[in-house]
Amino acid sequence: QPFKALDTAQSALDVEPDRTDSLALLSEVRLERGADREALDAINRASALDPQNAALLARRANVLLSQNRTDEARADIDRALAIDPSLSILRAARAEYYMRKGQPDTALEEGLAASADNPAYSRALLQLSETFYALGQPAVALQQLDAADRLDPMSPLTPLARAASALYYYRADEAISASREAMQIGRAHV
């Protein structure tokens, strides 16, 4: 079950404490739940074990971006690019970075590349949605949210994005409904 991701990652680490993919999963689950510090601790451990792993560096950049530490994230993005520039998670991190730097056109290029590299990567679709909103294309942004929701219906991030969109457009009922959905999914993950 998707609700058991945290338990699964923790159980795997109990058996093999230095398993980088379990640490990466633990970091992702914690980040999704808003435990930024714990997410960073887990991904830092993984990166220390395998410093030349571009995917781990990209995940670390995502955690840093969630904490608004863009300069540190950019350093990890650059290191990951030097190792493997083709990773969809890296392209999505770059898209987020460019959005935070106020460059939505460049963010769109990176988000589209991330989505094309891995069409099943729902976070790339969430990033595209944010970018399309910033570019004044809310209908296309909603399509990206729908696609992300189909790919990962148990992620609270999609309804949170819907709530943010609804608030921006002064649609209080939709914002409340989406917020409740995000809370239900989040509680089910606990």
Side-chain angles (χ1 to χ4, degrees), residues 3 32-33 153-163 174-190:
F3 305 122
E32 193 169 275
R33 292 181 178 185
M154 300 316 300
S155 173
L157 299 177
T158 305
L160 284 175
R162 286 186 194 285
E174 289 176 37
I176 291 168
S177 176
S179 297
R180 285 183 177 148
E181 180 184 352
M183 287 180 61
Q184 288 172 342
I185 293 170
R187 285 183 183 145
H189 280 246
V190 175

Side-chain angles (χ1 to χ4, degrees), residues 2-77:
F3 305 122
K4 303 217 182 241
L6 183 60
D7 292 338
T8 302
Q10 194 58 59
S11 296
L13 287 169
D14 290 343
V15 173
E16 196 174 342
D18 292 339
R19 189 176 173 115
T20 57
D21 57 343
S22 297
L23 286 165
L25 174 61
L26 182 64
S27 175
E28 188 172 333
V29 171
R30 287 182 171 165
L31 182 62
E32 193 169 275
R33 292 181 178 185
D36 293 355
R37 186 176 332 134
E38 293 85 354
L40 186 59
D41 289 345
I43 203 65
N44 281 342
R45 274 183 58 201
S47 295
L49 292 167
D50 190 0
Q52 293 302 309
N53 186 319
L56 293 176
L57 290 169
R59 288 185 190 281
R60 185 174 187 279
N62 281 329
V63 173
L64 292 169
L65 286 167
S66 75
Q67 298 175 347
N68 293 318
R69 296 163 66 179
T70 53
D71 292 336
E72 292 172 75
R74 179 59 193 246
D76 281 344
I77 290 168

Side-chain angles (χ1 to χ4, degrees), residues 123-146:
R123 291 225 177 147
L125 296 173
L126 289 172
Q127 182 58 49
L128 277 174
S129 175
E130 179 184 348
T131 305
F132 281 119
Y133 275 118
L135 292 170
Q137 299 179 40
V140 180
L142 286 174
Q143 289 173 348
Q144 301 305 313
L145 287 179
D146 290 342

